[in-house]
Amino acid sequence: MIKTNVYLYQYENITLDVQDFFSNYRLDKLSTLRSKNIQTEYIVKISLEHFLDKKVDKLKFKTTENGKPIIDIENIYLNISHSNDYLAVVISTNEVAVDLELINIRHLKIAKKITNDFDKLDINDVTKMWTIKESYLKYFGMSILSNLKEITFDTNFVFGPKGNLNYQTKRYQDYYLTITLKDNSNISYYCLKDLKSVDEFNIINKSFEEEE
């Protein structure tokens, strides 16, 4: 049975210190340790602890041949996406990817690059389509410069040059969020709230609007 959890978090205007859990991968990648960077690292840590139901002392990442970062835990797969003030963390027992996008007028400007039917779509359609195609790219570690028109989808599957994937799209407030997986999975959604310090948080079940 495949287990997949999604954790959605709204960044706060707070300052956290770098703790021992901060991964070497992130430290090597970052030139400055901004508040959002540190919050991201901490949310990944507590989400992973919730998923595994055990304490995680230090996050460890490794990279694939094409440079895609993966969590260094056997049979555990993790992917993140952030947009505006929100962060999405997806963790699964199977390979997984996520894309989160704020509904924004800028997506209409790139509609021509992702579909030939751009003139028939509104901003919601385009934003949703973008998350599906971007999630596909992230799953396979493909470049954002790939031909997005080659990636198509129906109500359950997304099709592309690397193969077919299951996907699930949800809308939360003014955001679209898409999860892609090779095999079908029951996905549980959580909203993380009230992060006041690195020792206090609440994980609350949250209802997401199902996309039809």
Side-chain angles (χ1 to χ4, degrees):
M1 174 69 74
I2 300 171
K3 176 184 177 183
T4 304
N5 287 1
V6 178
Y7 302 92
L8 190 66
Y9 170 71
Q10 184 174 17
Y11 288 109
E12 296 186 58
N13 186 22
I14 59 175
T15 301
L16 300 176
D17 293 329
V18 177
Q19 302 292 312
D20 291 339
F21 64 80
F22 215 82
S23 67
N24 291 333
Y25 171 80
R26 293 280 290 180
L27 286 171
D28 292 342
K29 293 279 287 184
L30 300 175
S31 57
T32 58
L33 296 175
R34 298 177 298 167
S35 176
K36 280 190 176 182
N37 297 138
I38 301 173
Q39 288 182 63
T40 297
E41 192 82 357
Y42 184 64
I43 295 305
V44 169
K45 176 180 183 291
I46 63 176
S47 299
L48 192 59
E49 290 177 337
H50 179 264
F51 185 86
L52 298 173
D53 194 25
K54 67 178 183 180
K55 183 74 173 176
V56 174
D57 293 327
K58 185 177 181 67
L59 294 173
K60 296 180 181 180
F61 289 89
K62 57 185 178 181
T63 55
T64 61
E65 292 182 357
N66 58 15
K68 180 182 177 180
I70 55 176
I71 196 76
D72 194 7
I73 302 176
E74 188 175 1
N75 298 322
I76 297 296
Y77 302 87
L78 182 148
N79 198 238
I80 69 172
S81 181
H82 48 79
S83 179
N84 202 43
D85 292 330
Y86 275 88
L87 166 72
V89 178
V90 59
I91 306 173
S92 180
T93 53
N94 206 353
E95 185 71 47
V96 67
V98 60
D99 189 58
L100 175 73
E101 294 290 341
L102 175 69
I103 300 170
N104 191 304
I105 193 67
R106 71 180 178 86
H107 289 105
L108 289 179
K109 298 179 181 179
I110 61 173
K112 292 181 180 180
K113 296 181 180 180
I114 64 176
T115 179
N116 292 323
D117 298 324
F118 61 90
D119 56 338
K120 302 176 183 178
L121 305 176
D122 63 21
I123 190 170
N124 292 288
D125 297 325
V126 173
T127 305
K128 177 183 175 181
M129 180 181 293
W130 176 263
T131 66
I132 296 171
K133 297 192 176 194
E134 174 72 6
S135 184
Y136 182 94
L137 295 181
K138 291 179 68 176
Y139 181 95
F140 289 109
M142 297 169 63
S143 169
I144 190 64
L145 299 177
S146 302
N147 183 0
L148 293 175
K149 292 181 180 179
E150 291 183 341
I151 302 170
T152 60
F153 58 92
D154 59 19
T155 56
N156 297 305
F157 298 96
V158 52
F159 314 96
K162 295 287 188 177
N164 305 335
L165 297 174
N166 286 269
Y167 81 91
Q168 186 176 108
T169 298
K170 301 281 188 176
R171 178 168 176 171
Y172 178 76
Q173 297 181 5
D174 292 328
Y175 292 81
Y176 278 98
L177 179 150
T178 293
I179 310 296
T180 48
L181 307 101
K182 188 65 175 178
D183 300 302
N184 197 21
S185 172
N186 290 324
I187 303 174
S188 299
Y189 291 83
Y190 298 88
C191 189
L192 308 181
K193 290 187 175 182
D194 303 325
L195 181 59
K196 299 177 182 177
S197 74
V198 294
D199 298 317
E200 298 178 25
F201 72 96
N202 295 314
I203 296 181
I204 303 172
N205 277 315
K206 190 72 181 181
S207 296
F208 281 67
E209 179 181 334
E210 188 79 41
E211 280 296 303
E212 297 180 356

